[in-house]
Amino acid sequence: MLGSVADDFTGATDLAGNWRSRGLKTAVLLGIPPAPLMDDLDGYDALVVAQKIRSVDADAARTAARRAGEVLLDVGCTQIYDKYCSTFDSTPDGNIGPIADELAELTGAERAIIVPSFPDAGRTVYKGHHFVLDELLSESPMRHHPLNPMTDSSVVRLMEAQTDRPVGKIVLEVVRQGPDALRAALDEVGKDAFYIVVDAIDNDDLRIIAEATTQEKLVTGGSGIALGLPHRDTDLGQVEKIAGRKLVLSGSASAMTQRQVAHGKAHLPHRKADVRELLTDMDHAVAEACEWVRAQWAADPDVAPLIYSVESREDVDAARAITDEASSLIETYFGRIAADLSDDGLRQIVVAGGETSGSVCEALDIRILDLGEQLAPGVSWLLGKSDSTEYNIVLKSGNFGHEDLFTSAWGELR
């Protein structure tokens, strides 16, 4: 069994979706579920524990990562995958380095690769430098990330700032000599480095890396490396469709999500969050938004109203000017809306943004997610299970998904 600790909820479903695409029956655990739900995990090939630890205090992140890793080892996982964002979202203080260090100590690993590449989503590493599509990470829209602005493209330097363990690299020319050559290179570089950044620019590179590291106790990276696993000819079917009302909640500021919001506004009833209102009277803002959604459902029971926080870069700057807590306010707002509308029959939800996804799932008390078929690289329909209710839900990282995702996703749920 494969096991992963993921540092946010959308990243967890991204990795799980890629594992499922290789024929692995996969579940995502949102935190550590209670014992009765854990008892239902027999028969899975891969488990991902999703934690909201990407941007929290480093000590808290380490504690949560260790607990998740212990659970995965206890249920029989033989390799732990430390999943972080394919754009290496992290500040010099962490949390990619601290989490990896904690899992290295837990597993007793003697080395660990660093592979953030996800070519299907336009993320690649060449000569140890990270690219988003055809731009260096530091020149991509990620340089404006509201929580973790990425201003350096060297994955080696980014990791060195976050750990006391030495960091090395292996370049593409070595990878393309094949798994045996890569294993030999890992042995050689591993004499002087614990973390080893490995180049990859297409899925064949990921296949070589996956084959070369099957015996490693700890692997770190984005979700792309999962696509390097051999495919199992397994019919996993689709997730069960849960009848109910629809809603789109978009809390991401990414460039792709802004395009998805623009497309959604052209086709769906829509409403924009007002950060100033959330700051002064959250209760009123939530109640007003819920009443607006109920009115849209009354007019058309099958409609998927869109509530969003960002449609342009200016919205991010404006929110920051109002309060440093804008992101937290928006997460709380969306979580409370989802919880309140659940009583009105909300059962099908598309959510954009990692922190927003975490807030919505926590508010709905979703503890386990079963993976369905992918809608796009890193984006899948999920069956979310709480103690009493089931939901169909999409949890989407900011820059993932097609431009029409907010309108096209519903046709894939059947």
Side-chain angles (χ1 to χ4, degrees), residues 4-83:
S4 173
V5 179
D7 65 358
D8 81 343
F9 285 23
T10 56
T13 60
D14 170 15
L15 172 63
N18 284 350
W19 270 343
R20 187 188 188 279
S21 75
R22 309 313 296 162
L24 302 180
K25 184 179 180 183
T26 307
V28 176
L29 316 182
L30 304 186
I32 310 301
L37 288 176
M38 290 292 291
D39 291 341
D40 293 335
L41 296 177
D42 289 342
Y44 285 91
D45 304 304
L47 299 175
V48 185
V49 179
Q51 306 272 24
K52 286 184 64 178
I53 54 176
R54 179 170 297 174
S55 303
V56 303
D57 173 78
D59 287 339
R62 293 183 70 128
T63 298
R66 173 172 280 272
R67 175 62 183 135
E70 289 171 343
V71 168
L72 292 171
L73 293 175
D74 285 346
V75 298
C77 293
T78 55
Q79 182 181 79
I80 300 300
Y81 191 107
D82 172 17
K83 163 65 177 72

Side-chain angles (χ1 to χ4, degrees), residues 330-413:
I330 290 167
E331 292 162 28
T332 300
Y333 176 65
F334 284 131
R336 288 187 57 181
I337 289 171
D340 286 0
L341 291 175
S342 176
D343 293 336
D344 295 272
L346 175 63
R347 295 295 182 268
Q348 300 176 12
I349 318 167
V350 173
V351 188
E355 299 302 321
T356 303
S357 294
S359 181
V360 169
C361 286
E362 288 178 355
L364 295 175
D365 198 31
I366 293 174
R367 309 306 299 272
I368 294 180
L369 297 165
D370 273 346
L371 270 290
E373 292 185 355
Q374 287 191 326
L375 303 174
V379 184
S380 303
W381 270 114
L382 314 162
L383 179 63
K385 302 176 182 179
S386 72
D387 288 339
S388 59
T389 310
E390 294 185 338
Y391 301 88
N392 292 129
I393 190 165
V394 171
L395 306 178
K396 177 196 94 72
S397 293
N399 276 310
F400 285 11
H402 303 304
E403 189 170 308
D404 65 350
L405 177 68
F406 294 168
T407 56
S408 65
W410 316 102
E412 301 302 318
L413 186 61

Side-chain angles (χ1 to χ4, degrees), residues 173-183 208 212:
E173 291 82 355
V174 175
V175 174
R176 292 195 167 172
Q177 292 174 28
D180 291 340
L182 178 54
R183 271 191 292 267
I208 292 169

